[in-house]
Amino acid sequence: MTIPDTSIHWPGRFATPRVLARPLGGDDAVLFAALYVDAYTMAQVGEPLGPEAADRAFAAALRQMRRAPPSARYWRLDEGDDPLGLLSLVPDAERRTAETGLMLVGAGRARGIAREVLAALLPPVLVPGGLDALWTRHRVGHGAAEGLMRGLRFEKVGATGWSRWQMTAT
């Protein structure tokens, strides 16, 4: 069985009215580490990483993006000159579905940034020849994430210990 290269549908740089999303690059290590070591940010994602583990995770993310075809895509999110966070897209082995994740610095939270960015990501990746579905997860009881997923019309599909949501291509 041939595994399709759905990455041809993943946007490189894209913009919303307030946010520029550009592929993660070598100069983004400080932002990446700041998010992954921060206990508040990681509370709904997993355990915070130590600085060395964050550096290894950053290097791994860059390697995933450089594979041919890429095995993941990560974007840095900025509002003007201000860093807002990171967005990721990590497909499964068959490259038919992918997990998306979004982490924002304090200045990016509770402002509709997550909704704006995810709404811009959905159309190009959920197209014929693209992904069949996009999914995300968060800790049970994360009200902001639940509201975001409902607002974007993701369907709750349950997962042990997590709330899992999925958007299927139409």
Side-chain angles (χ1 to χ4, degrees), residues 18 40 79 84 102-116 142-145 147-148:
R18 295 182 289 173
Y40 184 83
E79 182 177 36
L84 291 178
L102 182 67
M103 294 193 301
L104 298 171
V105 300
R109 297 180 189 133
R111 297 180 44 218
I113 298 292
R115 177 183 308 268
E116 192 174 306
H142 186 355
L148 172 64

Side-chain angles (χ1 to χ4, degrees), residues 35-40 42-43 46-50 53:
L35 289 164
Y36 277 91
V37 304
D38 182 67
Y40 184 83
M42 294 297 290
E47 292 298 316
L49 302 179

Side-chain angles (χ1 to χ4, degrees), residues 4-8 10 61-74 89-92 95:
D5 179 10
T6 56
S7 69
I8 62 173
W10 305 349
L62 293 179
R63 280 193 307 273
Q64 290 173 325
M65 290 178 55
R66 290 181 182 132
R67 289 188 181 127
S71 59
R73 173 81 37 93
Y74 298 84
L89 184 69
V90 182
D92 62 14
R95 303 178 70 82

Side-chain angles (χ1 to χ4, degrees), residues 41-128:
T41 300
M42 294 297 290
Q44 304 303 331
V45 180
E47 292 298 316
L49 302 179
E52 297 82 16
D55 289 344
R56 289 191 301 273
F58 178 71
L62 293 179
R63 280 193 307 273
Q64 290 173 325
M65 290 178 55
R66 290 181 182 132
R67 289 188 181 127
S71 59
R73 173 81 37 93
Y74 298 84
W75 294 268
R76 175 191 170 116
L77 307 174
D78 292 303
E79 182 177 36
D81 293 332
D82 299 323
L84 291 178
L86 300 172
L87 173 66
S88 64
L89 184 69
V90 182
D92 62 14
E94 291 80 30
R95 303 178 70 82
R96 299 307 316 153
T97 68
E99 180 178 16
T100 189
L102 182 67
M103 294 193 301
L104 298 171
V105 300
R109 297 180 189 133
R111 297 180 44 218
I113 298 292
R115 177 183 308 268
E116 192 174 306
V117 169
L118 286 172
L121 178 65
L122 294 170
V125 301
L126 295 175
V127 295

Side-chain angles (χ1 to χ4, degrees), residues 21-39:
R22 65 161 177 80
L24 193 69
D27 57 342
D28 297 323
V30 171
L31 174 62
F32 189 97
L35 289 164
Y36 277 91
V37 304
D38 182 67

Side-chain angles (χ1 to χ4, degrees), residues 32 36 48 78 80 96 119-120 130 132 146-147 153 156 165 168:
F32 189 97
Y36 277 91
D78 292 303
R96 299 307 316 153
D132 294 333
E146 290 176 8
R153 301 179 191 248
K156 194 166 188 177
W165 301 81
T168 303

